Amino acid sequence: MTIDGIVYVIDPGYCKQSSYNARTGMESLVITPISKASANQRAGRAGRVSPGKAFRLYTAWAYKHELEDNTVPEIQRTNLGNVVLLLKSLGINDLIHFDFMDPPPHETLVLALEQLYALGALNNLGELTKMGRRMAELPVDPMVAKMILASEKLVSIVDMYVRQCITAHFTVDTLRREVSIHC
């Protein structure tokens, strides 16, 4: 995004990146050093409209020797549940041998498959179930999709219970009135 009048950029050399830990199953926002590509992009933001200057809060030595050339692709550092569910819904079944541009770690791919199986989105053959197809239609994390779809049943059960209680209450009330009239 270009904002008129911005001619100075201060680059601290860090950014917040989402990172997924496959062992714990947790995603977190981690402060990490930027890459050389990001540093160059930030410097390019100075003076888009008029002459400008970028101030880097790290040394030229750190730029040359400590920063990675490129940022780690997002598919290699996030939960793959949504990706796997989407690919399965598109009919791509062999995800282990799928030709990803930047292949994700094998461990996270296997964990995503296991999670989807546990949620009932995949059967024991790794194929998409009816529940999985419905989960794929929702633009949320697979666990949230399962909760939403499960709540649909729960609301129906609660609704039936409330109706039963109301009906039972009216029936008891009606019986009491009839008994008091006849006695």
Side-chain angles (χ1 to χ4, degrees):
M1 181 169 79
T2 302
I3 302 172
D4 289 341
I6 302 294
V7 292
Y8 298 108
V9 171
I10 299 173
D11 180 6
Y14 292 95
C15 68
K16 288 186 179 181
Q17 273 186 344
S18 85
S19 180
Y20 179 69
N21 184 336
R23 288 190 180 90
T24 62
M26 299 289 292
E27 199 163 326
S28 58
L29 208 52
V30 180
I31 297 173
T32 58
I34 61 171
S35 65
K36 289 178 186 173
S38 293
N40 293 335
Q41 184 181 26
R42 287 179 179 185
R45 299 229 177 264
R48 286 263 168 115
V49 182
S50 61
K53 187 155 179 79
F55 296 96
R56 292 183 172 156
L57 303 181
Y58 47 93
T59 63
W61 187 90
Y63 175 84
K64 289 179 184 172
H65 298 99
E66 292 180 353
L67 298 183
E68 297 289 329
D69 289 335
N70 293 301
T71 306
V72 176
E74 190 170 359
I75 196 165
Q76 294 180 358
R77 54 184 168 83
T78 58
N79 181 0
L80 295 178
N82 276 337
V83 174
V84 170
L85 193 58
L86 175 65
L87 290 173
K88 288 283 190 180
S89 71
L90 294 173
I92 300 167
N93 291 315
D94 187 10
L95 298 176
I96 303 295
H97 298 104
F98 183 73
D99 189 24
F100 289 99
M101 281 178 61
D102 297 303
H106 183 75
E107 182 182 34
T108 56
L109 192 57
V110 170
L111 280 170
L113 289 166
E114 288 174 354
Q115 179 193 42
L116 292 172
Y117 175 74
L119 291 172
L122 301 177
N123 64 17
N124 59 348
L125 300 174
E127 298 164 341
L128 206 59
T129 62
K130 287 181 184 178
M131 173 63 79
R133 189 149 308 280
R134 291 187 67 205
M135 288 169 62
E137 293 173 1
L138 300 174
V140 294
D141 185 75
M143 279 202 229
V144 176
K146 176 69 177 198
M147 285 191 302
I148 290 169
L149 294 173
S151 71
E152 189 177 62
K153 272 187 185 173
L154 184 63
V155 169
S156 297
I157 292 169
V158 169
D159 186 44
M160 287 188 302
Y161 180 72
V162 168
R163 287 180 188 190
Q164 182 182 3
C165 289
I166 290 171
T167 306
H169 176 73
F170 284 127
T171 306
V172 169
D173 245 15
T174 308
L175 283 173
R176 282 188 186 146
R177 269 189 259 130
E178 286 183 17
V179 169
S180 64
I181 294 172
H182 294 296
C183 292

